[in-house]
Amino acid sequence: MLKDVILDEPGKRVFLLGNEAIARGAIEAGIDVFSAYPGTPSSEITDTLNSACKHLRGRMEYRMEYAVNEKVAFEVAIGASLAGKRGMTAMKHVGLNVAADSLFSFAYVGARGGFVCVSADDPSMHSSQNEQDNRWYGIAAKVPVVEPSSVGEAKEMVKLAFDLSERFGLPFILRSYTRLSHSSGIVELGEIPEKRLKKVRWERHPDTDVVLPAHARRLKPILQKKLADLEDFFTSSDINWVDEADGKRGIIACGMSYNYAVEALENLGVEMPVLKLSSMNPLPRKLIADFLANLDEVLVVEEVDPVVELQVRAMAKELDVEVHGKMDGYLPENFEYNVSIVQKGIARLGGKSYDYAHLLETAKSMAEIAPPRPPVLCPGCPHTATFYAIRKVVNELGNASLPSDIGCYTLGINKPLEAVDITICMGASVGTSNGLSYVLDDAIIATIGDSTFFHTGIPPLVNAVYNGNRFVLVVLDNSTTGMTGHQPHPGVDARGCGEKGHAVRIEDVCRAIGVRFVEVVKSYNIRAMEDALRRALKHDGPAVIVSKQPCAILWNRERKAKGIRITPFEVGEGCMECMKCVREFTCPAIYIQDGRPVIDPALCAGCGVCAAVCPYRAIKPAR
């Protein structure tokens, strides 16, 4: 909880969410600048630092901002570091793809003030489009990666990463993952430093900070030397340790997998030596070699890819140690681990029996009892109305391509709307529309959220204007970053730390870059949206419709705060049970009872879109 994150009682033990612990670590480390774009499972780091900065103002000051995308956030933190200040950014794993260009070059330049990038991976893809393992980025970019195994260690490792970043002149990646970011645990509080965010004079270092080819060729060996020195440090660091035990079989457990391994050993009643690793890059090879030297077999436990296993296999050849893990099927290659999965692998290593199949069968039978609950757009969601209008116009056309983007509006893929055909990554709805426009006879109606428009939607729209590509882009403007927790973005007049911002209007941006068809339509006005779509489809070039209505959750919250009574709608006597409100529209507040549609007043947001959909005008405000 926030009150514990900002509590100034060193030594007190509190219960924090993993992401809150990371934020607390940043505060104790005395960060100067934090910049991020929200993305699950990293968002609470940003939101916690956003809330904390207001409470700490005057005691411990830092600059906090919501950036337009991850690359910008990364570069904001770079700027702070090069000025000698501590800079930090946080993002979900795919966000590092956006920031990768800056990551690779900054490794050569090196940190001056401490630099930490939190990358929150998402094993099992709970809220992501892929399951990438960002430890590869550390290896490829020659950037250190550390990985905590508990909530308490996460807080301490943030501080350590800042210290080591300054000591070795390297940017650091702290890898978290869903199960750590969203778990809670005991954290012992350290001291919150008293500091003001003081501006400093710029000191030029063009020989390191400007990565001209000649400079970069000289900087690469220096970077390699820094990593070699850091590897020596990691070999004796207390973030890596060995749980001693007898036997010729052992376990190398990485990050949070260490906890699974320890519990699995207890469940099986088996003792094996365990090497707990938190430094993922560079690996402490001497420590690993010493551990392997006493073993015949070792099991590597890690999520998501066999990053450590591959390297251990290369080392083990010289030591004649047999290595097990993902690559030989002792552990699954895909998805998130848990104690049972790891226990199965350890049981196989130890020659023990473990009826995992029975466990899965029991879990399956229990899952079948629970009713299926597919994710749906919220009651009163303005996207539902927009998608309904798009589907209606597409049905008139007979066919159309419907690229979309990353956000809660991806749920427009579901029946009966079926208004999403393609979703690749942030901004790709506009990018793929450019390509589709070259090869399709059918119309193209793309959708993108307002935050995503600013994130990566503008450059491909510029491309469309420049090349004269013909498609319709509907910007689903709900005045927030909805999916990750309602963070602000450049389109609203709020900034981080509760400061007032200068809103950038999407329609102004579109007109400024040369889009000649730009219209703003209220999302709940289905007829206006249909008319705008039909006109936009006739436009020879890119056409933009901004579908504007606040997110229903925020809209409800605002009305309740003002004391405005929300009047629900109800299905009246005139209902002919045609079921159009269910079959063609969709709203979680509408359900079927005794063969008739009924509206749940507790869920109804009072938007009235269902009343506009009903052909018999049987849906009206409740009396």
Side-chain angles (χ1 to χ4, degrees), residues 559 563-568 622-623:
R559 284 182 293 170
I564 299 173
R565 181 175 177 269
I566 299 173
T567 303
R623 286 170 290 180

Side-chain angles (χ1 to χ4, degrees), residues 7 29 112 187 202 239 243 291 306 342 392 394-395 400 438 492 499 507:
L7 188 62
R112 198 160 290 126
V187 172
W202 173 245
I239 65 172
D243 293 337
F291 181 72
V342 174
K392 194 171 176 185
V394 170
N395 289 344
Y438 296 133
V492 300
E499 298 175 354
E507 55 271 29

Side-chain angles (χ1 to χ4, degrees), residues 571 575 577-579 581-582 590-593 595-599 619:
V571 182
C575 176
E577 299 175 7
C578 69
M579 301 297 174
C581 56
V582 177
I590 304 176
Y591 63 100
I592 307 294
Q593 186 176 58
R596 285 173 54 85
V598 179
I599 298 175
I619 301 178

Side-chain angles (χ1 to χ4, degrees), residues 69-84:
N69 66 30
E70 295 85 355
K71 183 174 186 291
V72 172
F74 198 97
E75 291 163 356
V76 168
I78 287 177
S81 174
L82 293 181

